[in-house]
Amino acid sequence: MKTNEYMEQSEQYVLHTYNRFPVVLEHGDGVYLYDTDDRQYLDFAAGIAVYALGYNYPGFNEALENQIHKVIHTSNLFYNVPMTEAAKKVVEASGMDKVFFTNSGTEAIEGAIKTARKYAYIRDGKADHEIIAMNHSFHGRSVGALSVTGNPHYQEAFKPLMGGVKFADFNDLDSVKAQITDKTCAIILETVQGEGGIYPADPKFLQGIREICDEKDILMILDEIQCGMGRTGSLYAWQGYGVQPDIMTTAKALGCGVPVGAFILNKKVAEHSLVPGDHGTTYGGNPLACAAVSKVMDLFAENKIVEHVQEITPYFEAKLDELVEQYDCFAARRGKGLMQGLVVTGRPVGEIVKAAIREGLLVISAGSDVLRLVPPLIIEEKHIDEMVEKLKKAIG
Ligand SMILES: *Cc1c(COP(=O)(O)O)cnc(C)c1O
C-alpha cells in the first residue's frame, strides 16, 4: 500500500481521537525512524519519552524474541520468571519495597490512588478521604487518573469524575497547605510536569511536600511516568532531589516500547494497604512485558545510560540556550536532563512541529506553547547538532 492509502484506511477504521501528522512510520534504527516512503527522521520525541534506548538497541530485541518462544502470558494466578526478575530490579533501584505491574501509565495512577485510599481507610476505619493534585498536571485518561489531572479541558465532558480531589498550584507550597484537611490521604504530583509544559519541581517545594506528608501521615505520590527512567539524569527524577515518595508510578520508558507500567510502594504503605482481592489485572506482570522491563534495567546498568544522560545534558542545554538567544520565537528554555522545553512566542508551536517534521526532525509540543524535546537517552553530540540544524531550517 502507498502512504496515502495507509492514512486513508486508518482514518476510515480507527476512531478519530488524534489529529495525526501525515507520516506513516514504518521502522526505526538507533535514533532514527523511517516512514513508508523511506524518509528518515531524527527522533527527538521517542514515542513520547518511551524509546529511551532508541531502536534496535543491542540485546533488547533478542531478549524479547527469547521470551516470545518461551511464554507470552500466564495470568497472575501463577508465578512467572520475568515478573520475578523485573520486580527485584525495579524495587532495588528505587530503594522502595514492593511493585505492582500494570499495562500503562494511567493504570499505574489508578493503582496509586486505590492504594492511598486503602491505606487511609485501614488507619481511620472510614472512607471519605481526599487527594490533593496539581493544576496543569497530567496523570492519564482513565476516569481516576483524569480526576487528578489538573486540566479542565480534558475533564469537562466526562463529569462527574471521581470525588474528593482538590487542586493546588505546582511549586507553591502555601497553595498545597491551603487544601489540606483531616481527610487528606495523599498528595499526587509529577516530579517534572510533562504534558503541562515541562516544569521541574523546585527542590524546596518537593522537600516541603515531603515534610507535610511526614507530619500528617499523608502519602506522597510521585508520578515518574514521563520524567523517570533516567531522563532527568537520575534513574528516578526524585533521586536527584533527595526526596523519596511513599508511592511512585512509572511507565513510558520502563519497557522501552513494550506497553508496561508499575506502581511502587515503600514498606509502610506496602504493609498497610492492598491485600489479595483488592486489586488485579489480567495482563499485569505479563512475562513478555516484564522480560522487556528486566532487560531495560540490565541495559541501563551495564551501559551506564543514566551516567550518559548526565554527561550529555550540559551540551544539550547549551545548544538550546543558544537557540533561545538567537531566535525571537524562543522565549525561554525549561527542563531537566533530556526532558527539555522551549517556550515559543509569536507563532503557534504546532507550526514549528509540522515544519520540523518536514525537515526530518520529530519533536512534539507540551502545554499550549512549549516545544518538547525528549530524545532517546542514547543521543550523542552529533545528533544534538543535527537537531539544531533541522530546527533552524524549520523556523527559518
Ligand atoms: C503519559 C503520562 C501518563 C499516562 O500514561 P499512559 O501510558 O498514556 O496511560 C501519566 N502521567 C504522566 C506524567 C505521563 O506523562
Side-chain angles (χ1 to χ4, degrees), residues 18 48 103-107 109 138-142 145 190 192-195 223-227 249 251-252 260 339 372:
Y18 282 92
I48 316 186
N103 311 292
S104 65
T106 202
E107 276 176 83
I109 298 291
F138 182 83
H139 298 293
R141 303 296 198 140
S142 53
E190 296 149 89
V192 180
Q193 285 194 334
E195 302 300 314
D223 181 347
E224 292 260 335
I225 290 170
Q226 187 162 163
C227 62
T249 57
K252 287 197 166 83
V260 60
M339 181 172 183
R372 171 168 35 169

Side-chain angles (χ1 to χ4, degrees), residues 242-374:
V243 169
Q244 195 181 57
D246 300 294
I247 303 175
M248 75 170 253
T249 57
T250 169
K252 287 197 166 83
L254 179 64
C256 280
V258 176
V260 60
F263 59 96
I264 305 179
L265 313 177
N266 70 8
K267 201 163 170 36
K268 171 179 92 171
V269 179
E271 286 176 355
H272 302 281
S273 59
L274 303 179
V275 295
D278 279 343
H279 198 55
T281 156
T282 300
Y283 276 138
N286 170 280
L288 179 62
C290 285
V293 174
S294 187
K295 192 65 185 178
V296 166
M297 296 303 289
D298 285 348
L299 292 171
F300 264 62
E302 284 161 18
N303 298 314
K304 302 204 178 337
I305 300 297
V306 177
E307 290 83 346
H308 175 71
V309 173
Q310 291 165 4
E311 280 161 21
I312 197 90
T313 292
Y315 190 80
F316 191 36
E317 289 182 339
K319 289 288 160 183
L320 294 176
D321 287 341
E322 273 175 37
L323 285 172
V324 172
E325 246 167 62
Q326 288 166 1
Y327 292 90
D328 290 343
C329 64
F330 296 130
R333 173 184 68 78
R334 277 199 301 263
K336 218 169 156 55
L338 296 186
M339 181 172 183
Q340 296 285 342
L342 292 173
V343 181
V344 174
T345 61
R347 53 171 124 173
V349 60
E351 234 168 59
I352 298 181
V353 171
K354 281 183 200 155
I357 292 172
R358 283 195 294 270
E359 294 298 332
L361 170 67
L362 300 188
V363 285
I364 46 182
S365 62
S368 57
D369 63 348
V370 175
L371 190 73
R372 171 168 35 169
L373 300 131
V374 285

Side-chain angles (χ1 to χ4, degrees), residues 227-242:
C227 62
M229 293 308 291
R231 183 155 292 283
T232 65
S234 29
L235 186 64
Y236 303 115
W238 52 261
Q239 289 171 327
Y241 286 86

